[in-house]
Amino acid sequence: MIDQHNSLAEKFLKKGFWLYLFSFIIAPIGYIIKIIISWELTVSEVGILYGIISLITMLSAYNDLGMSESLKHFIPQFINEKRYDKVKTILFIALWIQIFTSLIIAAFFYFWAEYISINYFKTIAAKETLQVFAFFFIWLNIFQTLNNFFMAVQDTLLYKITEFIRMWFIMCSVLFIYFWDIWNLLNYSYSWLIWLYIWLLFTIILYYGKYYRKFLSKETYFLNKTLAISITKYASLVVIGASAGTILSQIDMQMIIYFLGTTQAGYYTNYLSIITIPFMLIGPVFAFIFPVISEMHGKWDISKIQLLKNIFTKNFIAIGIMFNVFFFVFAKVIAYTLFWEKFIESWNILQYSILLLIFNFLLQINFNILAGIWKVKERVKVIFTAVVFNFIMNIILINYLWVYWAALATWLGWLLIFIHSEYFLWKTYRIRLQFKSISKNILLMWTSWVGFHYFIVPYFEIFSRLESLLFLALSFAIWSIIFVVGNLKTFKDFILELKKLKQKN
C-alpha cells in the first residue's frame, strides 16, 4: 500500500508535489466561496453560517472517538508488518464508530435546532441552517475517515483529489445561487449539502478501486485482545487531546458567538480566512509529517527524525518571519480587498495576533513528531493545558477587548503549546535555533516593512477592489523575491540536506 522504496527526500518531494498542487487550486476556490457569501449576506448571517460550520468542525474532532487519527498512527505500522487484516479491521471500526456517533449528534442538531438557535446563537435565523448541517455532519465524517485512510497510506494524490472535488461542488452551488439571484442564508447552507452525495460516492469509488479490491477484499477481520487494547488506549488519549489547531480556534469562535453575538463572529470568521492564507503555501506538508514520522519511528530511525526536525525548524522560522511581517503591514489592505468595507474590522483582529503566527508553524512540527513517536499522553497534557489557558483568558478579558482578545488568546495558546511540546521532546528531539539566520531575517523583513509601509501601502487608497487585488499580489511577489534573495544560502543548504537524507536511506 505504501511505496516502501522511496527515500525520505523523495517522499516529501514527490508526494508533497500533489499536496501543494491541489492546495494552490483548492485555496482560491475556498476564497471565492467566502467572498461571494460575504458580499451578499449580512455580517451577522455570515457569522451564523460559519459559526455552525465551526461548531461542526469542533465536534468532528471528537465525534470519531479518536479513530481517525488512530488510522494514521496504526496503519503505517500494520502495512510494514504486511498485516492487511489489521488494516481492514481498524478501518471498519473507525467507519462504524463514525456512523453511530454522527447519527446521534445529527439527530440532536435537527430536533433541538430551535432551542440551540434561541439560547446559543441568540437568533431564530440559525434554526433551518442547523437542520441542513445536521445531514451534512453525518456524511462529512464518513468522508473524513476515508480521507484519513488515504493520508495514512501516504497517497497524497487521492487525499487532495477528494478534497478538490468537495470544494469544487460547493463553489458550483454557490455560484448557481448567486447568478440566479436566489441567495439567502438557507440556500447558501444547502450549498454544503446538495453535492455531498456525489462527492462521497466519488471518494468511495476511489477507495474501492485502488485499495479495497486489491489489498483488503480477501482479508478477514482480525481483532484480538492485545490489538483491541492498543487501539482503544491510543484512541482514548487522542479523543481527550483531539487536535490542537481545531479545538483552540473553534473554541474561540464558539465563545465569541455565545458572549458577543453572530456579528462579531462574522468579523472573526473572515479574520480566520485571512490568517489561513499562509497555510496555502506551507500547510500541506504538515499533514504529511505525521505518517512519515510514524513510519520512521516504527523502524527506530531516530537520526532521521532529528535531521527532519532541524531542517523544518530552520526553514519554517525564516518563512514564518516573512509571513508575520507581511501580514502585519498589509492587514487592512487584505481585509478590505477580500471582503470589502463591511468586514474592514477584521484587519484589527489580524494585527492583534499575526506576529505570533510563527509559533503555529513550530508547534505543527512538534505536535506531529509527538504523534509519530507515540507520545499521545504528552499531547493530551499539552492540549489540556492550552485549552484551559485559552478558556480562562477569554472568560476574563473577552468583554474588555471583545473579539480582538479572542484572537490574541488563541495565538498565546499556540505559544504555550509550542513551549510545552518542546519540553516533552527536549531530551531526544530538542529544537536547535540558528540565531544568526533568525536575526538576519528579522532585520531583512523589518527593513522591507519600512519601505512598503511608506512607499507601497498608501497607493491602495486610489485603487479599485480588483486593482487592489492585483497590486496586493504584485506586492507579495516582490516581498517574496526579497526574502528568497536574502536567503539563497539557506535554501541551497536545504537542498543539500535533502540530498543527505536520500543518501542515508
Side-chain angles (χ1 to χ4, degrees), residues 2-8 10-11 82 295 299 505:
I2 298 177
D3 188 351
Q4 301 289 342
H5 303 292
N6 283 351
S7 69
L8 181 59
E10 289 171 331
K11 283 180 184 291
K82 303 297 182 183
E295 182 186 353
K299 299 175 181 177
N505 207 285

Side-chain angles (χ1 to χ4, degrees), residues 303-472:
S303 62
K304 283 187 181 177
I305 299 177
Q306 290 172 331
L307 182 57
L308 190 65
K309 179 174 181 179
N310 291 339
I311 292 173
F312 273 90
T313 299
K314 177 182 177 181
N315 287 278
F316 281 107
I317 285 177
I319 294 171
I321 293 171
M322 180 198 72
F323 278 116
N324 284 8
V325 182
F326 180 84
F327 275 75
F328 186 83
V329 174
F330 287 93
K332 187 173 184 178
V333 172
I334 294 171
Y336 179 83
T337 302
L338 290 182
F339 302 112
W340 209 232
E341 57 188 352
K342 67 180 176 182
F343 284 96
I344 200 70
E345 194 68 20
S346 297
W347 82 276
N348 279 325
I349 308 172
L350 182 64
Q351 285 197 323
Y352 262 80
S353 60
I354 187 61
L355 294 180
L356 296 177
L357 177 65
I358 191 170
F359 295 108
N360 189 296
F361 298 169
L362 295 177
L363 78 85
Q364 296 283 354
I365 298 170
N366 281 0
F367 229 65
N368 279 287
I369 293 176
L370 283 173
I373 63 175
W374 311 343
K375 288 186 176 290
V376 186
K377 291 182 179 179
E378 288 77 1
R379 290 214 318 167
V380 171
K381 292 176 183 177
V382 171
I383 284 295
F384 179 77
T385 303
V387 169
V388 171
F389 170 83
N390 182 271
F391 185 80
I392 292 173
M393 295 296 283
N394 273 301
I395 288 292
I396 294 173
L397 294 169
I398 199 170
N399 289 316
Y400 177 66
L401 288 176
W402 282 60
V403 70
Y404 312 120
W405 181 257
L408 182 58
T410 297
W411 295 99
L412 289 174
W414 298 141
L415 173 60
L416 180 63
I417 290 176
F418 165 66
I419 294 173
H420 201 178
S421 61
E422 190 63 31
Y423 168 79
F424 289 119
L425 292 171
W426 190 257
K427 185 176 180 180
T428 308
Y429 305 111
R430 70 180 64 180
I431 190 170
R432 302 186 184 279
L433 299 175
Q434 298 191 15
F435 292 101
K436 182 178 178 180
S437 174
I438 294 173
S439 300
K440 179 191 70 176
N441 277 286
I442 291 176
L443 179 62
L444 175 65
M445 291 295 98
W446 280 98
T447 302
S448 301
W449 171 82
V450 174
F452 277 76
H453 178 72
Y454 287 103
F455 299 106
I456 301 296
V457 173
Y459 284 99
F460 282 91
E461 296 180 3
I462 64 174
F463 292 148
S464 67
R465 192 178 182 190
L466 179 58
E467 290 171 338
S468 293
L469 182 61
L470 296 174
F471 196 55
L472 183 62

Side-chain angles (χ1 to χ4, degrees), residues 63-86:
N63 176 69
D64 67 343
L65 304 181
M67 288 304 301
S68 290
E69 189 149 343
S70 296
L71 294 178
K72 292 186 284 187
H73 175 77
F74 285 104
I75 284 179
Q77 299 176 48
F78 295 158
I79 292 174
N80 282 334
E81 299 167 1
K82 303 297 182 183
R83 292 300 304 269
Y84 297 137
D85 53 343
K86 290 184 178 181

Side-chain angles (χ1 to χ4, degrees), residues 40-42 45 177-178 180-185 187-188:
E40 300 293 353
L41 299 183
T42 66
E45 286 174 327
I177 291 169
Y178 174 77
W180 281 83
D181 199 23
I182 55 174
W183 53 268
N184 56 48
L185 177 59
N187 285 343
Y188 278 133

Side-chain angles (χ1 to χ4, degrees), residues 215-235:
F215 296 101
L216 305 178
S217 60
K218 296 181 181 179
E219 297 291 338
T220 57
Y221 295 105
F222 174 87
L223 186 65
N224 60 17
K225 183 178 180 180
T226 303
L227 180 61
I229 291 174
S230 298
I231 294 173
T232 302
K233 184 178 179 181
Y234 185 88

